[in-house]
C-alpha cells in the first residue's frame, strides 16, 4: 500500500466535513501506515470515542473505496507515533532511546518504572537548560532563595534538605529550581535528577496503580539522587498521592538525597495536606520569594530583551516595570509583545512606541467610552454645556462641537446611527450621517478642526 | 399556506487568512501566521468581542499548519466544556493546539488545573499553544492564579474591531462564502441603520439569507427593510 493512503483519505474527508470538524477531530490523529494496516492514533480517550462514534464509518468507507480489492485493516487507538512498538517493555525503550530525539513527555508518562539497576544513565531529567543561575536576575526579593539554592546545588543532600521555595505565581520559583538541577548535572553529570510537576507525579502514580506497577514506581523514585517537584500545593486533597510521596520523601531523605519543592505558600498554610507532610516540609529550609521590586523588574526586562537579541531603552523598561507589578511572566509577555510589534513595524522601541503598543493592556479603557462620556468630554473641551449639544441651537459655536461629538460617537462606539441620533436629542439618523461627513470634510480642509478632533480622540482613548 | 422550507445544506465556509478582513490587525495576523515557524511565538493569547473573528483566525492557523503537515487540534470550549476535561490529555504530542472560548473555564477549577497542566506540558515539548477568549487573562474569572500567570506568558493581543468600510467588506465576503452576493447599497444600508457590531450584522445577514431564499427574492434595500423589521 502506498504511504499516501491516509493523505488521499484526508483529501476526501475535506470535501465532506467542515473545517471545524477536521481541525477538532480528524487532524489531531497521528497515523501509522503499514502495507496492510492503517492505524489511527488519538491523543486521548475522548477524541478516540468521538471519532469512533462520528467518523469511523465514513473513514472506513473511504479507505475501502480507495483500496478496492486490497483492503487494509483500519484501527483506532490511543497513542503516539513516537512509540513504535507498543508492546515493547518500557525499560528497553528507555535504554534504546535515541538520545537525539526530543523529550516526549507522553512517553515518559507511559513508563512502567523499570528497576533502577537497568536504567542507570537514562533518566529523563526534564530539566529546561534555559533556566540557569547565570540568567537569573537577583534582587532583594529573591536574594535568600538564590543563595540557598546555589548552596544546595553545590552541596546536595546537606543541611538544606528539603529545600522548600515558596512565593506567589510568576516570581521565579521554577527558574531557580531548574537552575539548581542544571548546576548539579554540571558538577556531576551522572547524577540521577528528575524534575517534574506535582501533577505529573500524581499521573505516574495512578498509571502505576492501574498497571500493577506500584513497586516499580517506588523503586524508580527512591533511586534518584535528587527529586525536584514543582507546585506541591496541587497535592492538596489527593490522599493516596500524599501517602506515596510521604514514603518516597522519607526514603530519599534517609539516603541523603536532595529534595527540592516549590509551593505557592508556606508549608503550614497548605490546606488539604496531611500534617505529617507539612511538618516534614518545614524540616529543611523554607525560603520565600517575594514579588520583585521595581529595580529588579527593570533588570529582568533588560536581561530578557538581551536574550531576544534586542536593546531596551531604560525609560521603556521603567515604563513597563512600573505598570506591570505582579509577576514576571506578565512582564515577559508584555516585552514579547512590544518587541514583536517593533519587528513588525520596523520602528525603534521608544517610550511613545511602548505606550502605544501596550495601550489596551495598561488601561482597558474601551468600556469607558459611551456616548454620554463623549458628549461630556466634547462639551468640556469646547467650553459649552452638555445640554447645548442636545439642544436645537444652531449657532456655529454649538453646531460644530455637536457634529464633532456625533462623529466621535460613530467612530468610538458600536451604536447604530438611529441610536446615536436618539442620544443627541432625538435627531434623525441622516442628520448624524450628515454631521459625520461634514467633520470628515472639514478635517481635510481645516487644520484647527482636525487638531481638535485628534486631541479629543486622544483624550477619550487614554 | 406553508412557507417553503429551505434545504439545510450549508456551503463549506473556508476559514483561511485570505478570507479575513485584516483591518487594524496586521501584527496579530503576522504573529499567528508565524506561530508554527521555528522562530515564531509558541504561545499567544488573542481576545476580543464575540464574532470579531477569533474562531476564524484560530482555524486559519490550523489550516496553515495542516498544509505544512503538522498535526493540529482545534478545541472549541463551547462544544467540549460539557464533557470531560480528558479531552486535554496527551495533546502535547500535537504540534499546534488552539483553544477557543477559554472564558468558559470560569468557575471550573478542574478545567483550569488541566489547562495549567497543558501549558506546562506544551512548553516542555516545545509545541504551539494558542488561546482565544472574550477578555484578556487579567480580566477572566479564574480561581487558579497559576493559570492566569501562565496565560500572560506569551503576547496577549486584542483583535481590533473593523471600521465601517472594512465591516462592509467583511459582510460581503461572508455573504459570498455562503453563496450569495450582497450589493453595496444593501451593505451600506445595513451599516447605516442597525447596530454596527459584527455579531449583530452577521446575524442579520444570516436571517436575510434564509428569508430571501424562502421568499425567492433578490436582496434590495426595500426588501431588507421589510424583511428585517
Amino acid at each position: 500500500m502506498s504511504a499516501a493512503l491516509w493523505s488521499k483519505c484526508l483529501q476526501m474527508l475535506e470535501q465532506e466535513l467542515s473545517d471545524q470538524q477536521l481541525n477538532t477531530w480528524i487532524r489531531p490523529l497521528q497515523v501509522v501506515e503499514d502495507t496492510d494496516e492503517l492505524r489511527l492514533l488519538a491523543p486521548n480517550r475522548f477524541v478516540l470515542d468521538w471519532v469512533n462514534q462520528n467518523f469511523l464509518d465514513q473513514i472506513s468507507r473511504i479507505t475501502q473505496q480507495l483500496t478496492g480489492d486490497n483492503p487494509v485493516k483500519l484501527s483506532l487507538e490511543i497513542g503516539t507515533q513516537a512509540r513504535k512498538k507498543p508492546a515493547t517493555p518500557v525499560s528497553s525503550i528507555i535504554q534504546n532511546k535515541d538520545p537525539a530525539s526530543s523529550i516526549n513527555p507522553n512517553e515518559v508518562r507511559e513508563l512502567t518504572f523499570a528497576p533502577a539497576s537497568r536504567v542507570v544513565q537514562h533518566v529523563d531529567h526534564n530539566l529546561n537548560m534555559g533556566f540557569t543561575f547565570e540568567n537569573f536576575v537577583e534582587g532583594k526579593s529573591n536574594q535568600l532563595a538564590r543563595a540557598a539554592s546555589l548552596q544546595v546545588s553545590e552541596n546536595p543532600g546537606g543541611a538544606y534538605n528539603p529545600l522548600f521555595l515558596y512565593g506567589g505565581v510568576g516570581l521565579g520559583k521554577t527558574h531557580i529550581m531548574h537552575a539548581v538541577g542544571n548546576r548539579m548535572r554540571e558538577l556531576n553529570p551522572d547524577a540521577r535528577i528528575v524534575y517534574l510537576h506535582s501533577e505529573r507525579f500524581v499521573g505516574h502514580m495512578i498509571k502505576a496503580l492501574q498497571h500493577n506497577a506500584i513497586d516499580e514506581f517506588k523503586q524508580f523514585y527512591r533511586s534518584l539522587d535528587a527529586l525536584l517537584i514543582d507546585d506541591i500545593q496541587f497535592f492538596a486533597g489527593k490522599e493516596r498521592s500524599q501517602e506515596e510521596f510521604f514514603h518516597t520523601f522519607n526514603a530519599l531523605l534517609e539516603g541523603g538525597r536532595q529534595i527540592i519543592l516549590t509551593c505557592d505558600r508556606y508549608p503550614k498554610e497548605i490546606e488539604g495536606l496531611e500534617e505529617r507532610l507539612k511538618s516534614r516540609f518545614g524540616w529543611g529550609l523554607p525560603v520565600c520569594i517575594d514579588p520583585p521590586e521595581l529595580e529588579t523588574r527593570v533588570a529582568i526586562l533588560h536581561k530578557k530583551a538581551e536574550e531576544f537579541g534586542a536593546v531596551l531603552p531604560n525609560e521603556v523598561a521603567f515604563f513597563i516595570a512600573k505598570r506591570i507589578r505582579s509577576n514576571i511572566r506578565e512582564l515577559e509577555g508584555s516585552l514579547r509583545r512590544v518587541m514583536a510589534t517593533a519587528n513588525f513595524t520596523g520602528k525603534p522601541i521608544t517610550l511613545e512606541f511602548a505606550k502605544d503598543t501596550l495601550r489596551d493592556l495598561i488601561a482597558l479603557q474601551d468600556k469607558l467610552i459611551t456616548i454620554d462620556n463623549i458628549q461630556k468630554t466634547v462639551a468640556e473641551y469646547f467650553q459649552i454645556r452638555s445640554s447645548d449639544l442636545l439642544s436645537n441651537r444652531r449657532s456655529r459655536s454649538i453646531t460644530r462641537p455637536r457634529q464633532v461629538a456625533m462623529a466621535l460617537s460613530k467612530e468610538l462606539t458600536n451604536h447604530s446611527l438611529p441610536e446615536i441620533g436618539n442620544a443627541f436629542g432625538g435627531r434623525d439618523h441622516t442628520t448624524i450621517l450628515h454631521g459625520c461627513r461634514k467633520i470628515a470634510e472639514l478635517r481635510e480642509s481645516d487644520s484647527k478642526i482636525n487638531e481638535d478632533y485628534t486631541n479629543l480622540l486622544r483624550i477619550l482613548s487614554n | 399556506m406553508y412557507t417553503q422550507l429551505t434545504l439545510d445544506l450549508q456551503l463549506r465556509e473556508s476559514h483561511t487568512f485570505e478570507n479575513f478582513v485584516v483591518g487594524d490587525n496586521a501584527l496579530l495576523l503576522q504573529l499567528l501566521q508565524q506561530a508554527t515557524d521555528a522562530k515564531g511565538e509558541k504561545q499567544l493569547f488573542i481576545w476580543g468581542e464575540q464574532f470579531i473573528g477569533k474562531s476564524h483566525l484560530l482555524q486559519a492557523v490550523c489550516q496553515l499548519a495542516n498544509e505544512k503537515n503538522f498535526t493540529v487540534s482545534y478545541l472549541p470550549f463551547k462544544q467540549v466544556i460539557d464533557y470531560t476535561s480528558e479531552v486535554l490529555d496527551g495533546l502535547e504530542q500535537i504540534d499546534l493546539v488552539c483553544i477557543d472560548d477559554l472564558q468558559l473555564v470560569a468557575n471550573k477549577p478542574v478545567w483550569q488545573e488541566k489547562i495549567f497542566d497543558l501549558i506546562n506540558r506544551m512548553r516542555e515539548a516545545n509545541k504551539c499553544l494558542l488561546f482565544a477568549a472574550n477578555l484578556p487573562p487579567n480580566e477572566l474569572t479564574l480561581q487558579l492564579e497559576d493559570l492566569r500567570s501562565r496565560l500572560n506568558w506569551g503576547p496577549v493581543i486584542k483583535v481590533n474591531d473593523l471600521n465601517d468600510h472594512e465591516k462592509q467588506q467583511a459582510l460581503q465576503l461572508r455573504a459570498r462564502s455562503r453563496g450569495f452576493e450582497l450589493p453595496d447599497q444593501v451593505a451600506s444600508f445595513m451599516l447605516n441603520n442597525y447596530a454596527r457590531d459584527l455579531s449583530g450584522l452577521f446575524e442579520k445577514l444570516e436571517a436575510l439569507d434564509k428569508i430571501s431564499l424562502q421568499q425567492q427574492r433578490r436582496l434590495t434595500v426595500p426588501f431588507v427593510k421589510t424583511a428585517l423589521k
Side-chain angles (χ1 to χ4, degrees), chain A residues 301-321:
Chain A
L301 283 169
H302 281 308
K303 191 88 173 184
K304 293 270 182 213
E306 199 181 298
E307 279 171 26
F308 298 137
V311 177
L312 197 64
N314 222 7
E315 52 178 6
V316 175
F318 267 95
F319 170 76
I320 300 175

Short mmCIF file of all heavy atoms in Angstrom, two decimals, chain A residues 301-321:
data_model
loop_
_atom_site.label_atom_id
_atom_site.label_comp_id
_atom_site.label_asym_id
_atom_site.label_seq_id
_atom_site.Cartn_x
_atom_site.Cartn_y
_atom_site.Cartn_z
N LEU A 301 13.71 42.84 32.75
CA LEU A 301 13.33 43.22 31.38
C LEU A 301 14.57 43.37 30.51
O LEU A 301 14.59 42.90 29.36
CB LEU A 301 12.54 44.53 31.40
CG LEU A 301 11.08 44.40 31.84
CD1 LEU A 301 10.47 45.78 32.08
CD2 LEU A 301 10.28 43.68 30.75
N HIS A 302 15.61 44.00 31.05
CA HIS A 302 16.84 44.15 30.26
C HIS A 302 17.43 42.80 29.91
O HIS A 302 17.84 42.55 28.79
CB HIS A 302 17.86 44.99 31.04
CG HIS A 302 17.57 46.46 30.99
ND1 HIS A 302 17.37 47.14 29.81
CD2 HIS A 302 17.45 47.38 31.97
CE1 HIS A 302 17.14 48.42 30.07
NE2 HIS A 302 17.17 48.59 31.38
N LYS A 303 17.44 41.92 30.89
CA LYS A 303 18.01 40.58 30.69
C LYS A 303 17.24 39.81 29.61
O LYS A 303 17.82 39.22 28.71
CB LYS A 303 17.93 39.82 32.01
CG LYS A 303 18.72 38.54 32.02
CD LYS A 303 20.12 38.86 32.44
CE LYS A 303 20.98 37.65 32.66
NZ LYS A 303 22.30 38.06 33.16
N LYS A 304 15.91 39.88 29.71
CA LYS A 304 15.07 39.17 28.73
C LYS A 304 15.29 39.75 27.34
O LYS A 304 15.41 39.01 26.36
CB LYS A 304 13.59 39.31 29.09
CG LYS A 304 13.20 38.59 30.36
CD LYS A 304 12.79 37.17 30.08
CE LYS A 304 12.37 36.49 31.37
NZ LYS A 304 12.68 35.07 31.39
N ALA A 305 15.32 41.08 27.26
CA ALA A 305 15.49 41.73 25.96
C ALA A 305 16.81 41.27 25.35
O ALA A 305 16.89 40.96 24.16
CB ALA A 305 15.47 43.25 26.13
N GLU A 306 17.82 41.21 26.19
CA GLU A 306 19.14 40.75 25.74
C GLU A 306 19.04 39.34 25.17
O GLU A 306 19.61 39.04 24.12
CB GLU A 306 20.05 40.77 26.96
CG GLU A 306 21.53 40.78 26.69
CD GLU A 306 22.26 40.78 28.03
OE1 GLU A 306 22.09 41.74 28.81
OE2 GLU A 306 22.95 39.79 28.30
N GLU A 307 18.29 38.48 25.87
CA GLU A 307 18.12 37.10 25.38
C GLU A 307 17.47 37.09 24.00
O GLU A 307 17.75 36.22 23.18
CB GLU A 307 17.26 36.28 26.35
CG GLU A 307 18.04 35.76 27.53
CD GLU A 307 17.13 35.15 28.59
OE1 GLU A 307 16.01 34.68 28.23
OE2 GLU A 307 17.51 35.15 29.77
N PHE A 308 16.57 38.03 23.78
CA PHE A 308 15.90 38.08 22.48
C PHE A 308 16.76 38.83 21.46
O PHE A 308 16.34 39.05 20.33
CB PHE A 308 14.54 38.79 22.58
CG PHE A 308 13.56 38.11 23.49
CD1 PHE A 308 12.79 38.85 24.38
CD2 PHE A 308 13.41 36.74 23.46
CE1 PHE A 308 11.89 38.22 25.22
CE2 PHE A 308 12.51 36.11 24.29
CZ PHE A 308 11.74 36.86 25.17
N GLY A 309 17.93 39.30 21.87
CA GLY A 309 18.82 40.00 20.95
C GLY A 309 18.41 41.44 20.69
O GLY A 309 18.67 41.98 19.63
N ALA A 310 17.78 42.08 21.66
CA ALA A 310 17.38 43.47 21.47
C ALA A 310 17.91 44.33 22.62
O ALA A 310 18.25 43.82 23.67
CB ALA A 310 15.86 43.57 21.40
N VAL A 311 17.97 45.61 22.37
CA VAL A 311 18.35 46.53 23.44
C VAL A 311 17.11 47.34 23.82
O VAL A 311 16.43 47.88 22.96
CB VAL A 311 19.47 47.48 22.99
CG1 VAL A 311 19.80 48.46 24.10
CG2 VAL A 311 20.69 46.68 22.58
N LEU A 312 16.85 47.39 25.11
CA LEU A 312 15.65 48.07 25.57
C LEU A 312 16.08 49.39 26.23
O LEU A 312 16.84 49.38 27.19
CB LEU A 312 14.96 47.16 26.59
CG LEU A 312 13.52 47.45 26.94
CD1 LEU A 312 12.63 47.25 25.73
CD2 LEU A 312 13.07 46.54 28.07
N PRO A 313 15.58 50.52 25.71
CA PRO A 313 15.93 51.78 26.38
C PRO A 313 15.46 51.75 27.84
O PRO A 313 14.40 51.20 28.14
CB PRO A 313 15.16 52.83 25.58
CG PRO A 313 14.85 52.19 24.28
CD PRO A 313 14.73 50.72 24.55
N ASN A 314 16.23 52.38 28.70
CA ASN A 314 15.92 52.34 30.12
C ASN A 314 14.54 52.88 30.44
O ASN A 314 13.81 52.31 31.24
CB ASN A 314 16.98 53.15 30.87
CG ASN A 314 17.39 52.44 32.14
OD1 ASN A 314 16.97 51.29 32.37
ND2 ASN A 314 18.17 53.09 32.95
N GLU A 315 14.17 53.97 29.78
CA GLU A 315 12.87 54.58 30.10
C GLU A 315 11.72 53.64 29.72
O GLU A 315 10.69 53.62 30.37
CB GLU A 315 12.72 55.94 29.42
CG GLU A 315 13.01 55.90 27.92
CD GLU A 315 12.80 57.26 27.28
OE1 GLU A 315 12.55 58.23 28.02
OE2 GLU A 315 12.88 57.34 26.04
N VAL A 316 11.94 52.85 28.67
CA VAL A 316 10.90 51.89 28.27
C VAL A 316 10.80 50.78 29.32
O VAL A 316 9.72 50.39 29.75
CB VAL A 316 11.18 51.29 26.88
CG1 VAL A 316 10.15 50.22 26.55
CG2 VAL A 316 11.17 52.38 25.82
N ALA A 317 11.96 50.29 29.76
CA ALA A 317 11.98 49.25 30.79
C ALA A 317 11.27 49.76 32.05
O ALA A 317 10.45 49.04 32.64
CB ALA A 317 13.41 48.86 31.11
N PHE A 318 11.53 51.00 32.43
CA PHE A 318 10.88 51.56 33.62
C PHE A 318 9.37 51.69 33.41
O PHE A 318 8.58 51.39 34.30
CB PHE A 318 11.48 52.92 33.99
CG PHE A 318 12.59 52.80 34.99
CD1 PHE A 318 13.91 52.73 34.58
CD2 PHE A 318 12.31 52.71 36.35
CE1 PHE A 318 14.94 52.59 35.49
CE2 PHE A 318 13.33 52.56 37.27
CZ PHE A 318 14.65 52.51 36.85
N PHE A 319 9.01 52.12 32.22
CA PHE A 319 7.59 52.28 31.92
C PHE A 319 6.84 50.95 32.08
O PHE A 319 5.82 50.88 32.75
CB PHE A 319 7.41 52.82 30.49
CG PHE A 319 6.00 52.80 30.01
CD1 PHE A 319 5.09 53.74 30.45
CD2 PHE A 319 5.55 51.79 29.14
CE1 PHE A 319 3.77 53.71 30.02
CE2 PHE A 319 4.24 51.76 28.71
CZ PHE A 319 3.35 52.72 29.15
N ILE A 320 7.39 49.89 31.49
CA ILE A 320 6.71 48.58 31.57
C ILE A 320 6.75 48.08 33.01
O ILE A 320 5.75 47.62 33.55
CB ILE A 320 7.38 47.54 30.63
CG1 ILE A 320 7.32 48.03 29.18
CG2 ILE A 320 6.70 46.19 30.75
CD1 ILE A 320 8.05 47.12 28.20
N ALA A 321 7.90 48.20 33.65
CA ALA A 321 8.06 47.67 35.01
C ALA A 321 7.16 48.38 36.01
O ALA A 321 6.70 47.78 36.98
CB ALA A 321 9.52 47.78 35.43
#
